[in-house]
Amino acid sequence: MATVQRIWSRLQESFYSEFTSGERHIVVRARAGTGKTTSIVEAIKRLLSMNATRSIIVCAFNKNIAEELLTRFVGFNVIVKTLHAIGLQCVKRFWPDVKVSFGPERADDLAQRVCGATAPDTVKKLVAKLCTKAREMAPHATRGDELIDIAMKFECDPDESWSRDGFDLDYVCNKAAQTLDIAANEKPVRTGIDGSDMIFLPVRNGWLRPMCDDVVVDEAQDMTAAQLEIAQGICKGRITVVGDDMQAIYGFRGADSGSIDRLKAELSAVELPLNITYRCGKAIVAEAQRYVPDFEAGENNPDGSVSNLEEHKLSAEAGPGDFILSRINAPLVSIAMQLLRSGKRTRIAGRDIGAGLINLIKKFKASSVPQLISKIATWEEREITRLEERYKKNPQHPTFVQRADAIHDQAEMLTSLTDNAPNVREVEQRITALFTDDGLGAAGMITCSSVHKVKGLEADRVFILADTLRTNTQEEKNICYVAITRAKSSLVYVYGNDDKAKARREQERA
């Protein structure tokens, strides 16, 4: 059988030429569906065919991506690792016999040591949680006040009852800062190190050493500043940073959304574009250009289509293999339940979301569904009041907005799940059945998902709940762009047609 010669675009060829002949640091701004991964692989193979002794490490965003990339470098001397794995390798140079554990024991032990016996267990758990987040997101922090935003973003602020006893947000942040000092200076014997240590220890302790000639960082827009610091620290030659700044939608997780521009400036890197998509139909690309003007469709892309649909028609229209996307999760619950009642196999993306809802139910300790509904409303009101008090001087702070959205989202999801449920156990069973990460995007199933959960995935037809979208910040515009570019052939905006939906639309877009 004859070998088919791949035809590369002029933009891909420009990248390959710079990568194989130049020594300058490179920033590749790769838009959705532009063949980013394929281009990375081809560039590296071309370089190694010219210089087989060149040492190259590809930094992958997660383990699944790393494993997939490895299959594409069979026969080539390329190391593909997550930044956590690279961090662990650095730690092992200094603590060669240290154990590794991915459970909560490490953070719990550190929190216990700094809090002692006088602090309540609930507050110790908050210190442990902040200790985990701070090690990955603020490895250089030495003071509690440097951790306040992270604490608020990840719900590490104590209840008002504990604050009155002196165990307030400042207490949690100061104790978490103390855990960072201990974690950096003392090798753990009983608990071992965890995933956060793999980022924290090499950065905080200056353990990074040049390891290779070339470092290629994939999905740079989704990585934290500390992760990118590891990539820079292991390179003795050239860094190539690949990502799409317009797909930066994980700011709430601590991703360094400005990383591409920042690294370009720091490295004095040459910038190359990959902005011709081969995924989306031309009409879909035109829609995405509202948010990303430099996004282009390939010459041979199909026309595609963009249309509108009233929400009450969605159950009849959606079919196997379709995506139904929302900025927030709550509207997906009632839609998924309607689809199931219509006899259509449906799941909501996010096993972790389901686990969080079940944990909330158990916290409420409700003995009946009416009592559960009452406790949901009380919890929502109390949490919002506490948040408003914390941010009364800056109600537009991004952390306030994100946290308030999350509280309302959880409350609305739980309330929807109680609909006609005979008991609390039935509500929990509904959650377990609905929320999953298995088989998402499978041909025989409709996938309901937040935009965040389907990043990196695609479907021929995508329905977007238009009433949930916002455009008031750059990250919100990025979410719109990511949602649109999941569609290959057909993009359908779904609009509510009742007064509540119209009011929500106006509020979301304000």
Side-chain angles (χ1 to χ4, degrees), residues 385-396:
T385 300
R386 291 177 60 236
L387 198 63
E388 289 173 340
E389 179 63 25
R390 173 60 60 180
Y391 285 96
K392 60 185 177 183
K393 294 182 179 179
N394 188 8
Q396 299 304 315

Side-chain angles (χ1 to χ4, degrees), residues 26 99 106 136 151 177 233 251 314 316 325 361 364 427 494 506:
I26 303 171
K99 297 186 300 181
R106 169 70 159 155
E136 287 219 36
L314 179 57
L325 305 184
I361 290 175
F364 294 149
V427 178
V494 179
E506 292 177 2

